[in-house]
Amino acid sequence: MLHTFFIAPTEIKTGLTSITLGLIRSLDQLGLKVAVGKPIAHLKDSDRHRSIEMIRHATGIEPPTPISLKAAQSMVGSGKQERLMEDVVAMHHKLSKDVDVVIIEGIVPDRNEPYTAKLNVEMAKTLDAEVILVTAPFGRTMNELKEHLTMATGLYGGHKNRNLLGIIINKVNAPKNPAIPVKDQASIKANATSTQLAMDQLAQLEQHHFNILGMIPWDPDLVAPRIDDIANYLQAHYLHTPKQLGQRVKNISLCARTVPNMVSALQPGTLIVTPGDREDILLAASMAASNGVPLAGLLLTSGLQPDSRVMDLLTPSLENLPLLTVQTDTFQTASQLSNMDDGVLPDDVERVESIMNHVAQNINAKYLSERLQVDHVARLSPAAFRYQLVQRAQAANKKVVLPEGEEPRTIQAAAICQQRGIAQCILLGNPERIIQKAASLGVQLPKDLQILDPDEIRGQYVQPMVELRKHKNLSAPMAEAQLEDTVVMGTMMLALNEVDGLVSGAIHTTANTIRPALQLIKTAKNAKLVSSVFFMLLPEQVMVYGDCAVNPDPNADELADIALQSAQSALAFGIQPKVAMISYSTGSSGSGSDVEKVRSATQIAKTLMPDLIIDGPLQYDAATTASVAASKAPNSEVAGLASVVIFPDLNTGNTTYKAVQRSAKVVSIGPMLQGLAKPVNDLSRGALVEDIIYTIALTAIQANSND
């Protein structure tokens, strides 16, 4: 059954499009296919409204071109309101094909445009849509907020209207001025916080017939623009561009004091603004950056530039520090920055993604699923897969050891996993260094995050390791020497059941991660070898690719084992396995040793697991594309429907996964190792923090499956 949600703001600046995007993500996580439209919008110089651009960039959904508000009001003014609503219905009809939910975004109210509220009500009524109101406290008292919501809901018939689903309260506990705080300038007023209503106070609104569908806490990180956005806004010139741009500006500090009095301003995410002739501040900022403090940048004012000799001296330290200059003086620059719009730009995909996840996490998904009568496995979209991944990991509640405990990305991932309950993380490393690195990164380590010093616990693993490796005549001194490697120590912790899984590889090779596991953990009882899979998050489905990371040239028996392992992994993560054995030939159309290996492996796998849906050899396009499958393998249960693809060798698998990942901009999670008696997983050395988080989640779920 098709559902239509009409999202209507109660006033300006409620964050309407952020809520729309979060709702898209929340519904996607429930396995629903969503379409989005904005029938009427404020259009100025082009037919591209910012919310439409944001939706297009973030989701790939292409909303239809809206009717301009000016044209809509002209139609209403000339008695053509019915014709206008016909156009709205036509857009809805166009959107509703092959989807489960249509989200219609309403018009943002405007004091200069008196018809906007009435147009929203009329559109919702015409479409028989379920209405969700979006509001924000904006410093109101509880009574003031109740009055505001009473008026807003009254426009749609109040609580007696069954189509009025409820209200999403955005920007809970936001400061009066939610823009980036500009500090240390007497002429800039302090960014005093509003009279804040706590979550439990807002929840009491339910008693007054206001159904709260979500309360979205204000997060200062979500209003942090890129340094490039600020450079464009100020028309600044880069004196030095770091190797990688994309730094986030979380706060701005105006510095005209001596170095000892401004050191406290050198914090992660801070943009330092100072006159261009203050080489002492430039030197201090450069030293902080070279010591690992991720400053957002340094902005020099008044058109003044540092002495060239100073710049030559600092060049090595500026590798990760953007250095900009503007012609305006410090006061003018500060005024401009304090007035900068905090709205997200459509092309800032990273920030939009964070907003979508933040909003989705705080929306009542349970209510929506009940309202929509959703089966959670209806469609395993990438968002649904990631959502289920986190949910399953949280339910598993497993301990995961991270041997690379002093590595910055690992520290950040461990903190997030611990906070979100994805796993109980254990960092191996020097506690002082870990705490210091966390502080320089601006990461607050949870109190229950465990940090173990390898030097203090190494001795307790010597004899157990000697016992495990006695068949190799391992002596105590040899064991102690090997335990200097924290990966070996973490593997021993896993072997002794002190932890449930291990994740490594951010700074170690795959061999460094797998070798200790093979020596101390061994392969699973029914496994012939250790292999790997990647979860490929394609736009419409999640696929499993194996083996793309471990085995260079498996024989037929080994390839069959990889297929069975991969099918079981797919099933464990909610993917119904339909296994395609990939070759350069489909069916009986080709011959040769490589094709015969795949054909033989397919038969072996069928014999070992008769109920498994598997076919091969299949070419990749025949396995994944229905139109090709219809001509090349019309009788195959797998062709055109494959969810698991098994490559004949590492060369083919690794090349294909990277080609798909890069050319189609597909997120891949993995490699996840399979075939070991206990879960050990390897990371790419270029892994992002998010990659490490999801690998930890995979490991926790694997551990739960092994119980």
Short mmCIF file of all heavy atoms in Angstrom, two decimals, residues 138-179:
data_model
loop_
_atom_site.label_atom_id
_atom_site.label_comp_id
_atom_site.label_asym_id
_atom_site.label_seq_id
_atom_site.Cartn_x
_atom_site.Cartn_y
_atom_site.Cartn_z
N PHE A 138 13.36 27.02 19.68
CA PHE A 138 13.79 28.41 19.51
C PHE A 138 13.66 29.23 20.80
O PHE A 138 13.20 30.37 20.80
CB PHE A 138 12.98 29.10 18.39
CG PHE A 138 13.29 28.59 17.02
CD1 PHE A 138 12.28 28.28 16.13
CD2 PHE A 138 14.61 28.40 16.60
CE1 PHE A 138 12.56 27.80 14.85
CE2 PHE A 138 14.90 27.92 15.32
CZ PHE A 138 13.88 27.62 14.46
N GLY A 139 14.04 28.66 21.93
CA GLY A 139 14.08 29.40 23.19
C GLY A 139 12.74 29.61 23.85
O GLY A 139 12.64 30.35 24.84
N ARG A 140 11.69 28.99 23.34
CA ARG A 140 10.38 29.15 23.96
C ARG A 140 10.29 28.42 25.30
O ARG A 140 10.95 27.41 25.52
CB ARG A 140 9.28 28.62 23.03
CG ARG A 140 9.11 29.34 21.71
CD ARG A 140 7.95 28.73 20.94
NE ARG A 140 7.67 29.41 19.69
CZ ARG A 140 8.17 29.04 18.51
NH1 ARG A 140 8.98 27.99 18.43
NH2 ARG A 140 7.88 29.71 17.42
N THR A 141 9.42 28.91 26.17
CA THR A 141 9.08 28.15 27.36
C THR A 141 8.14 27.03 26.95
O THR A 141 7.63 27.00 25.82
CB THR A 141 8.39 29.04 28.40
OG1 THR A 141 7.13 29.48 27.85
CG2 THR A 141 9.24 30.25 28.77
N MET A 142 7.85 26.12 27.87
CA MET A 142 6.96 25.01 27.55
C MET A 142 5.57 25.51 27.17
O MET A 142 4.97 25.04 26.19
CB MET A 142 6.87 24.05 28.73
CG MET A 142 5.97 22.85 28.49
SD MET A 142 6.49 21.84 27.06
CE MET A 142 7.82 20.92 27.80
N ASN A 143 5.06 26.48 27.90
CA ASN A 143 3.72 27.00 27.57
C ASN A 143 3.70 27.68 26.20
O ASN A 143 2.75 27.53 25.44
CB ASN A 143 3.25 27.99 28.65
CG ASN A 143 2.80 27.27 29.91
OD1 ASN A 143 2.38 26.11 29.86
ND2 ASN A 143 2.89 27.94 31.05
N GLU A 144 4.76 28.42 25.90
CA GLU A 144 4.85 29.09 24.61
C GLU A 144 4.92 28.08 23.46
O GLU A 144 4.30 28.26 22.41
CB GLU A 144 6.06 30.02 24.56
CG GLU A 144 5.92 31.25 25.44
CD GLU A 144 7.22 32.03 25.59
OE1 GLU A 144 8.31 31.44 25.32
OE2 GLU A 144 7.17 33.21 25.98
N LEU A 145 5.67 27.00 23.69
CA LEU A 145 5.78 25.97 22.66
C LEU A 145 4.44 25.26 22.47
O LEU A 145 4.04 24.97 21.33
CB LEU A 145 6.87 24.96 23.03
CG LEU A 145 7.20 23.89 21.98
CD1 LEU A 145 7.62 24.52 20.67
CD2 LEU A 145 8.29 22.95 22.49
N LYS A 146 3.72 25.00 23.56
CA LYS A 146 2.40 24.37 23.46
C LYS A 146 1.44 25.24 22.64
O LYS A 146 0.69 24.75 21.80
CB LYS A 146 1.83 24.11 24.86
CG LYS A 146 2.30 22.80 25.48
CD LYS A 146 1.51 22.44 26.71
CE LYS A 146 2.08 23.15 27.92
NZ LYS A 146 1.44 22.73 29.18
N GLU A 147 1.47 26.54 22.91
CA GLU A 147 0.61 27.46 22.17
C GLU A 147 0.95 27.46 20.67
O GLU A 147 0.07 27.44 19.81
CB GLU A 147 0.74 28.88 22.73
CG GLU A 147 0.09 29.08 24.09
CD GLU A 147 0.29 30.49 24.61
OE1 GLU A 147 0.71 31.36 23.81
OE2 GLU A 147 0.02 30.72 25.80
N HIS A 148 2.27 27.48 20.40
CA HIS A 148 2.71 27.46 19.00
C HIS A 148 2.25 26.19 18.30
O HIS A 148 1.74 26.23 17.16
CB HIS A 148 4.24 27.58 18.96
CG HIS A 148 4.83 27.45 17.58
ND1 HIS A 148 4.71 28.43 16.63
CD2 HIS A 148 5.51 26.42 16.98
CE1 HIS A 148 5.31 28.04 15.51
NE2 HIS A 148 5.80 26.83 15.71
N LEU A 149 2.39 25.04 18.96
CA LEU A 149 2.01 23.77 18.35
C LEU A 149 0.50 23.63 18.23
O LEU A 149 0.00 23.00 17.29
CB LEU A 149 2.59 22.61 19.16
CG LEU A 149 4.12 22.49 19.12
CD1 LEU A 149 4.59 21.32 19.97
CD2 LEU A 149 4.62 22.32 17.70
N THR A 150 -0.23 24.20 19.18
CA THR A 150 -1.69 24.17 19.10
C THR A 150 -2.17 24.90 17.85
O THR A 150 -3.06 24.42 17.12
CB THR A 150 -2.32 24.80 20.35
OG1 THR A 150 -1.92 24.04 21.50
CG2 THR A 150 -3.84 24.80 20.26
N MET A 151 -1.56 26.05 17.57
CA MET A 151 -1.92 26.80 16.37
C MET A 151 -1.52 26.03 15.11
O MET A 151 -2.29 25.94 14.14
CB MET A 151 -1.23 28.16 16.38
CG MET A 151 -1.76 29.13 17.42
SD MET A 151 -0.91 30.71 17.38
CE MET A 151 -1.27 31.28 15.75
N ALA A 152 -0.32 25.46 15.14
CA ALA A 152 0.18 24.75 13.95
C ALA A 152 -0.66 23.51 13.64
O ALA A 152 -1.05 23.27 12.49
CB ALA A 152 1.64 24.37 14.15
N THR A 153 -0.97 22.71 14.66
CA THR A 153 -1.77 21.50 14.43
C THR A 153 -3.22 21.85 14.10
O THR A 153 -3.89 21.12 13.36
CB THR A 153 -1.72 20.57 15.66
OG1 THR A 153 -2.15 21.30 16.82
CG2 THR A 153 -0.32 20.04 15.89
N GLY A 154 -3.67 22.97 14.64
CA GLY A 154 -5.04 23.39 14.38
C GLY A 154 -5.31 23.63 12.91
O GLY A 154 -6.43 23.40 12.42
N LEU A 155 -4.30 24.09 12.18
CA LEU A 155 -4.46 24.31 10.75
C LEU A 155 -4.82 23.01 10.02
O LEU A 155 -5.48 23.03 8.98
CB LEU A 155 -3.17 24.87 10.15
CG LEU A 155 -2.80 26.31 10.53
CD1 LEU A 155 -1.39 26.63 10.04
CD2 LEU A 155 -3.80 27.30 9.92
N TYR A 156 -4.38 21.87 10.58
CA TYR A 156 -4.61 20.56 9.94
C TYR A 156 -5.70 19.76 10.64
O TYR A 156 -5.80 18.55 10.46
CB TYR A 156 -3.30 19.77 9.91
CG TYR A 156 -2.23 20.41 9.07
CD1 TYR A 156 -1.36 21.35 9.62
CD2 TYR A 156 -2.12 20.13 7.71
CE1 TYR A 156 -0.39 21.97 8.85
CE2 TYR A 156 -1.15 20.75 6.93
CZ TYR A 156 -0.29 21.67 7.50
OH TYR A 156 0.67 22.28 6.73
N GLY A 157 -6.50 20.45 11.47
CA GLY A 157 -7.62 19.76 12.12
C GLY A 157 -7.34 19.27 13.51
O GLY A 157 -8.19 18.61 14.12
N GLY A 158 -6.14 19.53 14.04
CA GLY A 158 -5.81 19.12 15.40
C GLY A 158 -5.73 17.62 15.58
O GLY A 158 -5.66 16.85 14.61
N HIS A 159 -5.77 17.18 16.86
CA HIS A 159 -5.55 15.76 17.16
C HIS A 159 -6.69 14.86 16.67
O HIS A 159 -6.55 13.64 16.62
CB HIS A 159 -5.35 15.56 18.67
CG HIS A 159 -6.58 15.85 19.49
ND1 HIS A 159 -6.89 17.12 19.94
CD2 HIS A 159 -7.57 15.03 19.94
CE1 HIS A 159 -8.02 17.06 20.63
NE2 HIS A 159 -8.46 15.82 20.64
N LYS A 160 -7.82 15.46 16.29
CA LYS A 160 -8.94 14.66 15.78
C LYS A 160 -8.69 14.18 14.35
O LYS A 160 -9.36 13.25 13.89
CB LYS A 160 -10.23 15.49 15.84
CG LYS A 160 -10.67 15.81 17.26
CD LYS A 160 -11.96 16.62 17.26
CE LYS A 160 -12.38 16.96 18.69
NZ LYS A 160 -13.63 17.76 18.73
N ASN A 161 -7.75 14.81 13.65
CA ASN A 161 -7.43 14.42 12.28
C ASN A 161 -6.50 13.21 12.31
O ASN A 161 -5.34 13.31 12.70
CB ASN A 161 -6.76 15.58 11.55
CG ASN A 161 -6.42 15.23 10.10
OD1 ASN A 161 -6.71 14.14 9.61
ND2 ASN A 161 -5.79 16.18 9.41
N ARG A 162 -6.99 12.07 11.89
CA ARG A 162 -6.18 10.85 11.93
C ARG A 162 -5.00 10.90 10.97
O ARG A 162 -4.06 10.13 11.10
CB ARG A 162 -7.05 9.63 11.61
CG ARG A 162 -8.09 9.35 12.68
CD ARG A 162 -8.82 8.04 12.41
NE ARG A 162 -9.77 7.73 13.46
CZ ARG A 162 -10.51 6.62 13.50
NH1 ARG A 162 -10.40 5.73 12.51
NH2 ARG A 162 -11.34 6.41 14.48
N ASN A 163 -5.07 11.77 10.00
CA ASN A 163 -3.96 11.90 9.06
C ASN A 163 -2.83 12.76 9.60
O ASN A 163 -1.79 12.89 8.96
CB ASN A 163 -4.45 12.50 7.73
CG ASN A 163 -4.84 11.41 6.74
OD1 ASN A 163 -4.76 10.23 7.06
ND2 ASN A 163 -5.26 11.81 5.56
N LEU A 164 -3.05 13.41 10.76
CA LEU A 164 -1.97 14.18 11.38
C LEU A 164 -1.15 13.22 12.23
O LEU A 164 -1.48 12.92 13.38
CB LEU A 164 -2.55 15.31 12.24
CG LEU A 164 -1.53 16.25 12.91
CD1 LEU A 164 -0.63 16.91 11.89
CD2 LEU A 164 -2.25 17.31 13.74
N LEU A 165 -0.06 12.70 11.65
CA LEU A 165 0.73 11.67 12.34
C LEU A 165 1.38 12.20 13.60
O LEU A 165 1.42 11.53 14.62
CB LEU A 165 1.81 11.13 11.41
CG LEU A 165 1.40 10.24 10.25
CD1 LEU A 165 2.61 9.52 9.69
CD2 LEU A 165 0.34 9.24 10.67
N GLY A 166 1.94 13.40 13.53
CA GLY A 166 2.63 13.92 14.70
C GLY A 166 3.63 14.99 14.35
O GLY A 166 3.60 15.57 13.25
N ILE A 167 4.54 15.21 15.29
CA ILE A 167 5.48 16.33 15.20
C ILE A 167 6.90 15.82 15.41
O ILE A 167 7.14 14.96 16.26
CB ILE A 167 5.15 17.39 16.27
CG1 ILE A 167 3.74 17.96 16.04
CG2 ILE A 167 6.17 18.52 16.29
CD1 ILE A 167 3.17 18.67 17.24
N ILE A 168 7.82 16.35 14.62
CA ILE A 168 9.25 16.13 14.86
C ILE A 168 9.82 17.44 15.37
O ILE A 168 9.68 18.49 14.73
CB ILE A 168 9.98 15.68 13.58
CG1 ILE A 168 9.46 14.30 13.14
CG2 ILE A 168 11.49 15.63 13.80
CD1 ILE A 168 10.02 13.82 11.82
N ILE A 169 10.43 17.40 16.55
CA ILE A 169 11.02 18.59 17.15
C ILE A 169 12.51 18.60 16.82
O ILE A 169 13.26 17.73 17.28
CB ILE A 169 10.80 18.63 18.66
CG1 ILE A 169 9.30 18.52 18.98
CG2 ILE A 169 11.36 19.91 19.27
CD1 ILE A 169 8.98 18.44 20.46
N ASN A 170 12.92 19.56 16.05
CA ASN A 170 14.31 19.66 15.61
C ASN A 170 15.05 20.70 16.45
O ASN A 170 14.44 21.51 17.14
CB ASN A 170 14.35 20.05 14.12
CG ASN A 170 15.70 19.82 13.49
OD1 ASN A 170 16.53 19.08 14.02
ND2 ASN A 170 15.94 20.44 12.36
N LYS A 171 16.37 20.65 16.40
CA LYS A 171 17.25 21.65 17.03
C LYS A 171 16.99 21.79 18.53
O LYS A 171 16.95 22.88 19.08
CB LYS A 171 17.10 23.01 16.35
CG LYS A 171 17.44 22.99 14.86
CD LYS A 171 17.39 24.37 14.25
CE LYS A 171 17.74 24.34 12.76
NZ LYS A 171 17.74 25.67 12.14
N VAL A 172 16.80 20.63 19.19
CA VAL A 172 16.59 20.65 20.63
C VAL A 172 17.88 21.09 21.32
O VAL A 172 18.96 20.56 21.05
CB VAL A 172 16.17 19.25 21.14
CG1 VAL A 172 16.03 19.25 22.66
CG2 VAL A 172 14.86 18.83 20.47
N ASN A 173 17.76 22.08 22.20
CA ASN A 173 18.90 22.64 22.95
C ASN A 173 19.90 23.37 22.06
O ASN A 173 21.10 23.43 22.38
CB ASN A 173 19.63 21.55 23.76
CG ASN A 173 18.81 21.08 24.95
OD1 ASN A 173 17.91 21.79 25.39
ND2 ASN A 173 19.11 19.90 25.45
N ALA A 174 19.42 23.93 20.97
CA ALA A 174 20.30 24.75 20.13
C ALA A 174 20.54 26.10 20.81
O ALA A 174 19.68 26.62 21.51
CB ALA A 174 19.67 24.97 18.77
N PRO A 175 21.73 26.69 20.63
CA PRO A 175 21.97 28.04 21.15
C PRO A 175 21.16 29.06 20.37
O PRO A 175 20.61 28.75 19.31
CB PRO A 175 23.47 28.23 20.94
CG PRO A 175 23.82 27.33 19.82
CD PRO A 175 22.90 26.15 19.94
N LYS A 176 21.10 30.28 20.89
CA LYS A 176 20.35 31.33 20.21
C LYS A 176 20.87 31.56 18.80
O LYS A 176 20.12 31.72 17.86
CB LYS A 176 20.44 32.64 21.01
CG LYS A 176 19.53 32.69 22.21
CD LYS A 176 19.64 34.04 22.89
CE LYS A 176 18.72 34.11 24.11
NZ LYS A 176 18.85 35.41 24.80
N ASN A 177 22.18 31.61 18.67
CA ASN A 177 22.80 31.75 17.35
C ASN A 177 23.51 30.45 17.03
O ASN A 177 24.61 30.22 17.52
CB ASN A 177 23.78 32.92 17.33
CG ASN A 177 24.48 33.06 15.99
OD1 ASN A 177 24.08 32.42 15.02
ND2 ASN A 177 25.51 33.87 15.94
N PRO A 178 22.89 29.56 16.23
CA PRO A 178 23.48 28.24 16.00
C PRO A 178 24.66 28.23 15.04
O PRO A 178 25.19 27.19 14.73
CB PRO A 178 22.30 27.45 15.42
CG PRO A 178 21.47 28.47 14.74
CD PRO A 178 21.61 29.73 15.55
N ALA A 179 25.05 29.40 14.53
CA ALA A 179 26.20 29.43 13.61
C ALA A 179 27.48 29.11 14.36
O ALA A 179 27.51 29.00 15.59
CB ALA A 179 26.29 30.81 12.95
#
